[in-house]
Amino acid sequence: MRANTNDLMSRAEDPAKILDQSLMDMQAELVKLRQAVATAVASQKRIERQASQARVQADHWYGRAQLALKGGDEDLARQALSQRKTHEETAQALSRQLESQAGQVDVLKRSLLKLEGQIAQAKTRKDTLKARAQAAQAQKQLEGAVSGISTDSAMAAFERMEEKVESLEAETAAIGELAGDNLEARFEAMEGSDVDDELAALKASSMAPAPALPVLPDSNTTANPRQEVQVEQVQVDDELAALRRSMNLPPQLNP
């Protein structure tokens, strides 16, 4: 039960709040320690004054003892020396107490310096630790959010949507092809008459009688070379004209 309680408390701890509270506790201890050092120093100074006064009184009574001896009063001198001894003993006791007090003050001062250094380091580390704690907490929340999402289901949803998009694209393409086929069929029907007309004209031209060849001079007769060239030219022109008619081309104008 104690272990479970400690575990719950550890999970419930806020690092930022714990760091702030720890620093506040250290500063409170620093205030107490400074007060203790101040009290010890004041006590040390008071003991120093008391010891100094005791030595002064011891010297004072020693002078009185000398004065009583000079006056011939030995009993008075003896009383003065007794007072001197009392003050000397007080001064010695205060001196021993002063040495012990000085040691305690020195320990307190060293502790004070150490605590001040620790607080300075804690202030520096606090900001760094708080930043690290915030970053770790943000990372923890992010990982928790990511772990809560099912990757398989998300990828399956993407795959389903991809298949649906591909199906829609295929349907659109099929509709476009059907529309294109109908359009092409309509244009082919319109253009079919022109093709038939050209085919009929080509048949008519092929069935027409060939143009009459010009009468060539007798081979026994001496031929004029110029006349032979003219005859060949006429034959070529006639064949060209027949070909143009077969292709329904307008006749060529003579230059």
Side-chain angles (χ1 to χ4, degrees):
M1 291 179 61
R2 186 180 298 108
N4 292 332
T5 303
N6 293 333
D7 182 65
L8 292 175
M9 292 178 62
S10 177
R11 292 183 180 181
E13 288 180 346
D14 186 354
K17 293 181 180 180
I18 295 300
L19 291 172
D20 291 337
Q21 185 62 45
S22 299
L23 185 59
M24 292 175 61
D25 294 340
M26 292 176 68
Q27 290 176 340
E29 292 297 326
L30 179 63
V31 171
K32 294 180 180 179
L33 186 56
R34 284 176 177 173
Q35 293 176 350
V37 171
T39 301
V41 170
S43 177
Q44 182 182 12
K45 291 181 178 181
R46 184 177 62 255
I47 293 173
E48 288 178 351
R49 289 194 300 269
Q50 291 174 353
S52 178
Q53 291 176 358
R55 286 190 293 270
V56 169
Q57 289 296 323
D59 294 338
H60 175 70
W61 285 106
Y62 185 75
R64 285 188 173 184
Q66 290 177 340
L67 182 61
L69 286 176
K70 288 180 180 180
D73 192 345
E74 185 175 345
D75 185 57
L76 186 59
R78 186 178 290 108
Q79 292 179 7
L81 290 175
S82 177
Q83 290 292 330
R84 174 178 179 269
K85 183 179 180 181
T86 300
H87 288 294
E88 283 183 346
E89 290 177 353
T90 300
Q92 291 176 0
L94 291 173
S95 296
R96 289 191 297 270
Q97 185 178 355
L98 184 61
E99 291 179 358
S100 176
Q101 187 75 13
Q104 294 178 1
V105 170
D106 186 60
V107 171
L108 289 174
K109 287 182 177 180
R110 287 198 299 268
S111 300
L112 178 62
L113 293 175
K114 182 180 179 180
L115 183 57
E116 288 176 346
Q118 290 176 346
I119 290 176
Q121 292 180 359
K123 288 180 178 180
T124 303
R125 294 179 60 188
K126 184 192 72 171
D127 297 334
T128 302
L129 290 174
K130 288 176 70 174
R132 290 173 58 186
Q134 292 174 356
Q137 186 66 25
Q139 183 66 26
K140 181 179 179 180
Q141 293 176 355
L142 179 61
E143 291 178 355
V146 171
S147 62
I149 299 175
S150 177
T151 306
D152 295 336
S153 61
M155 293 305 298
F158 273 97
E159 291 176 356
R160 289 198 307 272
M161 292 303 101
E162 185 176 5
E163 292 176 357
K164 187 173 183 179
V165 170
E166 290 177 352
S167 177
L168 291 174
E169 291 176 347
E171 292 178 2
T172 303
I175 294 173
E177 290 178 358
L178 292 175
D181 291 342
N182 293 335
L183 186 63
E184 290 294 333
R186 293 174 62 187
F187 275 106
E188 289 176 358
M190 294 176 64
E191 295 172 353
S193 59
D194 296 337
V195 174
D196 295 338
D197 293 341
E198 291 181 1
L199 181 60
L202 182 60
K203 288 181 178 181
S205 64
S206 63
M207 295 176 64
L213 296 176
V215 178
L216 297 176
D218 190 4
S219 59
N220 295 327
T221 306
T222 303
N224 189 354
R226 185 175 181 182
Q227 291 178 352
E228 293 178 357
V229 173
Q230 291 178 352
V231 171
E232 292 178 358
Q233 183 66 35
V234 170
Q235 293 176 351
V236 172
D237 292 340
D238 291 341
E239 291 179 359
L240 181 60
L243 181 61
R244 294 181 67 85
R245 286 195 301 274
S246 68
M247 298 178 65
N248 290 331
L249 296 176
Q252 185 178 8
L253 298 178
N254 293 328

